[in-house]
mmCIF file of all heavy atoms in Angstrom:
data_model
loop_
_atom_site.group_PDB
_atom_site.id
_atom_site.type_symbol
_atom_site.label_atom_id
_atom_site.label_comp_id
_atom_site.label_asym_id
_atom_site.label_seq_id
_atom_site.Cartn_x
_atom_site.Cartn_y
_atom_site.Cartn_z
ATOM 1 N N TRP A 7 0.715 10.838 7.158
ATOM 2 C CA TRP A 7 0.526 9.801 8.180
ATOM 3 C C TRP A 7 1.729 9.672 9.063
ATOM 4 O O TRP A 7 1.656 9.459 10.269
ATOM 5 C CB TRP A 7 0.173 8.485 7.510
ATOM 6 C CG TRP A 7 0.358 7.313 8.398
ATOM 7 C CD1 TRP A 7 1.315 6.376 8.267
ATOM 8 C CD2 TRP A 7 -0.397 6.977 9.549
ATOM 9 N NE1 TRP A 7 1.209 5.461 9.261
ATOM 10 C CE2 TRP A 7 0.165 5.788 10.056
ATOM 11 C CE3 TRP A 7 -1.462 7.536 10.204
ATOM 12 C CZ2 TRP A 7 -0.330 5.191 11.202
ATOM 13 C CZ3 TRP A 7 -1.940 6.926 11.344
ATOM 14 C CH2 TRP A 7 -1.393 5.773 11.787
ATOM 15 N N LEU A 8 2.871 9.804 8.445
ATOM 16 C CA LEU A 8 4.085 9.575 9.184
ATOM 17 C C LEU A 8 4.609 10.759 9.938
ATOM 18 O O LEU A 8 5.517 10.660 10.769
ATOM 19 C CB LEU A 8 5.176 9.153 8.169
ATOM 20 C CG LEU A 8 4.958 7.785 7.545
ATOM 21 C CD1 LEU A 8 6.005 7.604 6.429
ATOM 22 C CD2 LEU A 8 5.060 6.698 8.546
ATOM 23 N N ALA A 9 4.122 11.943 9.588
ATOM 24 C CA ALA A 9 4.709 13.150 10.127
ATOM 25 C C ALA A 9 4.844 13.020 11.626
ATOM 26 O O ALA A 9 3.911 12.773 12.346
ATOM 27 C CB ALA A 9 3.859 14.311 9.772
ATOM 28 N N SER A 10 6.024 13.161 12.135
ATOM 29 C CA SER A 10 6.258 12.911 13.571
ATOM 30 C C SER A 10 6.535 14.216 14.281
ATOM 31 O O SER A 10 6.477 15.298 13.732
ATOM 32 C CB SER A 10 7.393 11.951 13.728
ATOM 33 O OG SER A 10 7.515 11.604 15.071
ATOM 34 N N GLY A 50 8.249 8.215 13.923
ATOM 35 C CA GLY A 50 6.965 7.661 14.403
ATOM 36 C C GLY A 50 6.865 6.176 14.024
ATOM 37 O O GLY A 50 6.421 5.374 14.823
ATOM 38 N N ARG A 168 -3.839 20.163 14.299
ATOM 39 C CA ARG A 168 -2.572 19.480 14.328
ATOM 40 C C ARG A 168 -1.359 20.374 14.092
ATOM 41 O O ARG A 168 -0.415 20.417 14.844
ATOM 42 C CB ARG A 168 -2.630 18.352 13.259
ATOM 43 C CG ARG A 168 -1.536 17.375 13.349
ATOM 44 C CD ARG A 168 -1.606 16.439 12.156
ATOM 45 N NE ARG A 168 -0.621 15.383 12.289
ATOM 46 C CZ ARG A 168 0.658 15.590 12.056
ATOM 47 N NH1 ARG A 168 1.083 16.772 11.672
ATOM 48 N NH2 ARG A 168 1.480 14.574 12.169
ATOM 49 N N HIS A 194 -1.781 14.940 20.003
ATOM 50 C CA HIS A 194 -2.244 13.648 19.542
ATOM 51 C C HIS A 194 -3.659 13.291 20.006
ATOM 52 O O HIS A 194 -4.524 13.040 19.175
ATOM 53 C CB HIS A 194 -1.237 12.549 19.920
ATOM 54 C CG HIS A 194 -1.139 11.558 18.814
ATOM 55 N ND1 HIS A 194 -0.278 11.699 17.783
ATOM 56 C CD2 HIS A 194 -1.912 10.496 18.563
ATOM 57 C CE1 HIS A 194 -0.494 10.736 16.916
ATOM 58 N NE2 HIS A 194 -1.463 9.967 17.349
ATOM 59 N N ILE A 195 -3.830 13.308 21.334
ATOM 60 C CA ILE A 195 -5.198 12.985 21.815
ATOM 61 C C ILE A 195 -5.575 13.907 22.945
ATOM 62 O O ILE A 195 -4.740 14.484 23.583
ATOM 63 C CB ILE A 195 -5.313 11.503 22.267
ATOM 64 C CG1 ILE A 195 -4.363 11.166 23.400
ATOM 65 C CG2 ILE A 195 -5.115 10.565 21.098
ATOM 66 C CD1 ILE A 195 -4.670 9.841 24.079
ATOM 67 N N ARG A 197 -7.977 13.565 26.492
ATOM 68 C CA ARG A 197 -8.765 12.639 27.349
ATOM 69 C C ARG A 197 -9.376 13.451 28.434
ATOM 70 O O ARG A 197 -8.845 14.511 28.854
ATOM 71 C CB ARG A 197 -7.869 11.523 27.903
ATOM 72 C CG ARG A 197 -7.315 10.556 26.813
ATOM 73 C CD ARG A 197 -8.412 9.677 26.237
ATOM 74 N NE ARG A 197 -7.898 8.648 25.359
ATOM 75 C CZ ARG A 197 -8.164 8.557 24.032
ATOM 76 N NH1 ARG A 197 -8.926 9.452 23.422
ATOM 77 N NH2 ARG A 197 -7.735 7.546 23.339
ATOM 78 N N ARG A 210 2.886 15.860 20.553
ATOM 79 C CA ARG A 210 3.951 14.912 20.175
ATOM 80 C C ARG A 210 5.291 15.304 20.827
ATOM 81 O O ARG A 210 6.151 14.505 20.981
ATOM 82 C CB ARG A 210 4.120 14.939 18.631
ATOM 83 C CG ARG A 210 3.173 13.981 17.941
ATOM 84 C CD ARG A 210 3.413 14.054 16.462
ATOM 85 N NE ARG A 210 2.734 13.028 15.681
ATOM 86 C CZ ARG A 210 1.475 13.081 15.313
ATOM 87 N NH1 ARG A 210 0.747 14.098 15.692
ATOM 88 N NH2 ARG A 210 0.942 12.126 14.591
ATOM 89 N N ARG A 237 2.650 10.178 22.912
ATOM 90 C CA ARG A 237 1.394 10.037 22.176
ATOM 91 C C ARG A 237 0.160 9.816 23.057
ATOM 92 O O ARG A 237 -0.960 9.995 22.611
ATOM 93 C CB ARG A 237 1.428 8.803 21.211
ATOM 94 C CG ARG A 237 2.473 8.875 20.091
ATOM 95 C CD ARG A 237 2.149 9.931 19.072
ATOM 96 N NE ARG A 237 3.162 9.914 17.990
ATOM 97 C CZ ARG A 237 4.389 10.409 18.105
ATOM 98 N NH1 ARG A 237 4.790 10.960 19.233
ATOM 99 N NH2 ARG A 237 5.215 10.338 17.068
ATOM 100 N N SER A 238 0.331 9.337 24.312
ATOM 101 C CA SER A 238 -0.856 8.915 25.048
ATOM 102 C C SER A 238 -0.975 9.532 26.423
ATOM 103 O O SER A 238 0.027 9.915 27.027
ATOM 104 C CB SER A 238 -0.897 7.408 25.174
ATOM 105 O OG SER A 238 0.378 6.916 25.626
ATOM 106 N N TYR A 257 7.231 8.107 24.040
ATOM 107 C CA TYR A 257 7.854 7.368 22.949
ATOM 108 C C TYR A 257 9.391 7.425 23.184
ATOM 109 O O TYR A 257 10.058 6.438 23.102
ATOM 110 C CB TYR A 257 7.543 8.039 21.625
ATOM 111 C CG TYR A 257 6.417 7.339 20.802
ATOM 112 C CD1 TYR A 257 5.455 6.568 21.435
ATOM 113 C CD2 TYR A 257 6.313 7.550 19.439
ATOM 114 C CE1 TYR A 257 4.430 5.975 20.678
ATOM 115 C CE2 TYR A 257 5.334 6.929 18.687
ATOM 116 C CZ TYR A 257 4.390 6.166 19.314
ATOM 117 O OH TYR A 257 3.434 5.551 18.579
ATOM 118 N N ALA A 294 2.456 2.951 23.852
ATOM 119 C CA ALA A 294 1.400 3.209 22.894
ATOM 120 C C ALA A 294 0.133 3.581 23.685
ATOM 121 O O ALA A 294 0.201 4.467 24.522
ATOM 122 C CB ALA A 294 1.196 2.004 21.977
ATOM 123 N N SER A 295 -1.003 2.926 23.409
ATOM 124 C CA SER A 295 -2.246 3.388 24.084
ATOM 125 C C SER A 295 -2.247 3.113 25.569
ATOM 126 O O SER A 295 -1.645 2.167 26.065
ATOM 127 C CB SER A 295 -3.445 2.727 23.429
ATOM 128 O OG SER A 295 -3.205 1.373 23.237
ATOM 129 N N ILE A 296 -2.935 4.027 26.282
ATOM 130 C CA ILE A 296 -3.181 3.842 27.719
ATOM 131 C C ILE A 296 -4.672 4.024 27.933
ATOM 132 O O ILE A 296 -5.268 4.935 27.366
ATOM 133 C CB ILE A 296 -2.461 4.954 28.540
ATOM 134 C CG1 ILE A 296 -0.945 4.902 28.283
ATOM 135 C CG2 ILE A 296 -2.787 4.812 30.022
ATOM 136 C CD1 ILE A 296 -0.161 5.929 29.112
ATOM 137 N N HIS A 338 -0.484 -0.895 19.466
ATOM 138 C CA HIS A 338 -0.754 0.480 19.026
ATOM 139 C C HIS A 338 -1.992 1.038 19.734
ATOM 140 O O HIS A 338 -1.912 1.376 20.901
ATOM 141 C CB HIS A 338 -0.856 0.536 17.506
ATOM 142 C CG HIS A 338 -0.768 1.905 16.951
ATOM 143 N ND1 HIS A 338 0.422 2.606 16.874
ATOM 144 C CD2 HIS A 338 -1.699 2.722 16.443
ATOM 145 C CE1 HIS A 338 0.178 3.795 16.346
ATOM 146 N NE2 HIS A 338 -1.106 3.889 16.058
ATOM 147 N N ARG A 383 -10.428 3.768 18.776
ATOM 148 C CA ARG A 383 -10.991 3.063 19.962
ATOM 149 C C ARG A 383 -11.913 1.937 19.573
ATOM 150 O O ARG A 383 -12.430 1.225 20.387
ATOM 151 C CB ARG A 383 -11.744 4.073 20.850
ATOM 152 C CG ARG A 383 -10.818 5.009 21.622
ATOM 153 C CD ARG A 383 -11.525 6.159 22.229
ATOM 154 N NE ARG A 383 -11.872 7.177 21.211
ATOM 155 C CZ ARG A 383 -12.538 8.274 21.453
ATOM 156 N NH1 ARG A 383 -12.992 8.551 22.654
ATOM 157 N NH2 ARG A 383 -12.779 9.162 20.487
ATOM 158 N N LEU A 435 -8.411 4.642 8.998
ATOM 159 C CA LEU A 435 -7.787 4.922 10.291
ATOM 160 C C LEU A 435 -8.753 4.756 11.441
ATOM 161 O O LEU A 435 -8.402 4.276 12.511
ATOM 162 C CB LEU A 435 -7.198 6.330 10.344
ATOM 163 C CG LEU A 435 -5.935 6.592 9.595
ATOM 164 C CD1 LEU A 435 -5.503 8.066 9.748
ATOM 165 C CD2 LEU A 435 -4.823 5.693 10.098
ATOM 166 N N PHE A 436 -10.019 5.166 11.231
ATOM 167 C CA PHE A 436 -10.973 5.138 12.379
ATOM 168 C C PHE A 436 -12.351 4.642 11.963
ATOM 169 O O PHE A 436 -12.815 4.988 10.856
ATOM 170 C CB PHE A 436 -11.067 6.549 12.954
ATOM 171 C CG PHE A 436 -9.738 7.111 13.448
ATOM 172 C CD1 PHE A 436 -9.074 8.083 12.712
ATOM 173 C CD2 PHE A 436 -9.149 6.625 14.590
ATOM 174 C CE1 PHE A 436 -7.858 8.557 13.141
ATOM 175 C CE2 PHE A 436 -7.908 7.105 15.010
ATOM 176 C CZ PHE A 436 -7.264 8.085 14.278
ATOM 177 N N HIS A 496 -11.607 10.612 11.193
ATOM 178 C CA HIS A 496 -12.011 10.495 12.582
ATOM 179 C C HIS A 496 -13.457 10.873 12.849
ATOM 180 O O HIS A 496 -13.758 11.963 13.373
ATOM 181 C CB HIS A 496 -11.059 11.337 13.497
ATOM 182 C CG HIS A 496 -11.142 10.911 14.953
ATOM 183 N ND1 HIS A 496 -11.559 11.749 15.920
ATOM 184 C CD2 HIS A 496 -10.799 9.765 15.562
ATOM 185 C CE1 HIS A 496 -11.525 11.160 17.096
ATOM 186 N NE2 HIS A 496 -11.069 9.935 16.914
ATOM 187 N N TRP A 511 -8.798 17.048 7.140
ATOM 188 C CA TRP A 511 -7.395 17.248 7.389
ATOM 189 C C TRP A 511 -6.744 17.771 6.116
ATOM 190 O O TRP A 511 -6.422 16.997 5.239
ATOM 191 C CB TRP A 511 -6.805 15.924 7.840
ATOM 192 C CG TRP A 511 -5.359 15.910 8.170
ATOM 193 C CD1 TRP A 511 -4.492 16.945 8.278
ATOM 194 C CD2 TRP A 511 -4.620 14.740 8.455
ATOM 195 N NE1 TRP A 511 -3.238 16.493 8.608
ATOM 196 C CE2 TRP A 511 -3.279 15.135 8.748
ATOM 197 C CE3 TRP A 511 -4.871 13.369 8.545
ATOM 198 C CZ2 TRP A 511 -2.253 14.227 9.071
ATOM 199 C CZ3 TRP A 511 -3.893 12.473 8.877
ATOM 200 C CH2 TRP A 511 -2.622 12.916 9.128
ATOM 201 N N THR A 543 -7.886 17.298 13.151
ATOM 202 C CA THR A 543 -7.773 15.819 12.954
ATOM 203 C C THR A 543 -8.655 15.168 14.046
ATOM 204 O O THR A 543 -9.872 15.156 13.897
ATOM 205 C CB THR A 543 -6.304 15.332 13.003
ATOM 206 O OG1 THR A 543 -5.656 15.822 14.186
ATOM 207 C CG2 THR A 543 -5.539 15.781 11.773
ATOM 208 N N GLY A 544 -8.047 14.704 15.195
ATOM 209 C CA GLY A 544 -8.855 14.031 16.194
ATOM 210 C C GLY A 544 -9.829 14.973 16.899
ATOM 211 O O GLY A 544 -9.543 16.138 17.109
ATOM 212 N N PHE A 546 -12.689 14.957 20.237
ATOM 213 C CA PHE A 546 -13.085 14.133 21.397
ATOM 214 C C PHE A 546 -14.271 14.748 22.064
ATOM 215 O O PHE A 546 -14.177 15.798 22.677
ATOM 216 C CB PHE A 546 -11.871 14.006 22.331
ATOM 217 C CG PHE A 546 -10.686 13.425 21.574
ATOM 218 C CD1 PHE A 546 -9.795 14.267 20.907
ATOM 219 C CD2 PHE A 546 -10.510 12.067 21.499
ATOM 220 C CE1 PHE A 546 -8.740 13.754 20.157
ATOM 221 C CE2 PHE A 546 -9.451 11.529 20.734
ATOM 222 C CZ PHE A 546 -8.545 12.382 20.087
HETATM 223 FE FE1 DHE B 601 -2.138 8.474 16.205
HETATM 224 C C1 DHE B 601 -4.303 7.532 18.707
HETATM 225 C C2 DHE B 601 0.381 6.776 17.750
HETATM 226 C C3 DHE B 601 -0.114 9.043 13.483
HETATM 227 C C4 DHE B 601 -4.442 10.634 14.945
HETATM 228 N N1 DHE B 601 -2.004 7.329 17.900
HETATM 229 C C5 DHE B 601 -3.016 7.059 18.803
HETATM 230 C C6 DHE B 601 -2.513 6.232 19.836
HETATM 231 C C7 DHE B 601 -1.171 6.028 19.590
HETATM 232 C C8 DHE B 601 -0.853 6.688 18.352
HETATM 233 C C9 DHE B 601 -0.199 5.209 20.420
HETATM 234 C C10 DHE B 601 -3.316 5.673 21.011
HETATM 235 C C11 DHE B 601 -3.411 6.690 22.159
HETATM 236 C C12 DHE B 601 -4.243 6.241 23.289
HETATM 237 O O1 DHE B 601 -5.394 5.779 23.086
HETATM 238 O O2 DHE B 601 -3.786 6.292 24.460
HETATM 239 N N2 DHE B 601 -0.203 7.939 15.658
HETATM 240 C C13 DHE B 601 0.634 7.245 16.451
HETATM 241 C C14 DHE B 601 1.921 7.071 15.798
HETATM 242 O O3 DHE B 601 2.980 6.597 16.264
HETATM 243 C C15 DHE B 601 1.755 7.528 14.380
HETATM 244 C C16 DHE B 601 1.610 6.297 13.501
HETATM 245 C C17 DHE B 601 2.920 8.273 13.778
HETATM 246 C C18 DHE B 601 3.387 9.531 14.468
HETATM 247 O O4 DHE B 601 4.456 9.991 14.179
HETATM 248 O O5 DHE B 601 2.668 10.013 15.353
HETATM 249 C C19 DHE B 601 0.426 8.264 14.484
HETATM 250 N N3 DHE B 601 -2.262 9.627 14.500
HETATM 251 C C20 DHE B 601 -1.296 9.736 13.564
HETATM 252 C C21 DHE B 601 -1.694 10.673 12.544
HETATM 253 O O6 DHE B 601 -1.016 11.045 11.530
HETATM 254 C C22 DHE B 601 -3.117 11.093 12.822
HETATM 255 C C23 DHE B 601 -4.023 10.449 11.791
HETATM 256 C C24 DHE B 601 -3.398 12.591 12.739
HETATM 257 C C25 DHE B 601 -2.757 13.445 13.790
HETATM 258 O O7 DHE B 601 -3.470 14.221 14.458
HETATM 259 O O8 DHE B 601 -1.560 13.321 14.016
HETATM 260 C C26 DHE B 601 -3.301 10.450 14.197
HETATM 261 N N4 DHE B 601 -4.037 8.976 16.722
HETATM 262 C C27 DHE B 601 -4.789 9.949 16.075
HETATM 263 C C28 DHE B 601 -6.051 10.069 16.818
HETATM 264 C C29 DHE B 601 -6.019 9.148 17.872
HETATM 265 C C30 DHE B 601 -4.748 8.502 17.798
HETATM 266 C C31 DHE B 601 -7.209 11.010 16.407
HETATM 267 C C32 DHE B 601 -7.119 8.931 18.920
HETATM 268 C C33 DHE B 601 -8.223 8.079 18.408
HETATM 269 C C34 DHE B 601 -9.400 8.000 19.379
HETATM 270 O O9 DHE B 601 -10.533 8.066 18.903
HETATM 271 O O10 DHE B 601 -9.154 7.869 20.591
#
Side-chain angles (χ1 to χ4, degrees):
W7 161 250
L8 293 172
S10 186
R168 192 185 185 285
H194 217 89
I195 61 168
R197 294 290 188 243
R210 275 180 170 82
R237 298 292 183 283
S238 48
Y257 259 24
S295 44
I296 300 182
H338 195 74
R383 286 167 284 177
L435 285 180
F436 301 105
H496 198 244
W511 180 6
T543 53
F546 303 89

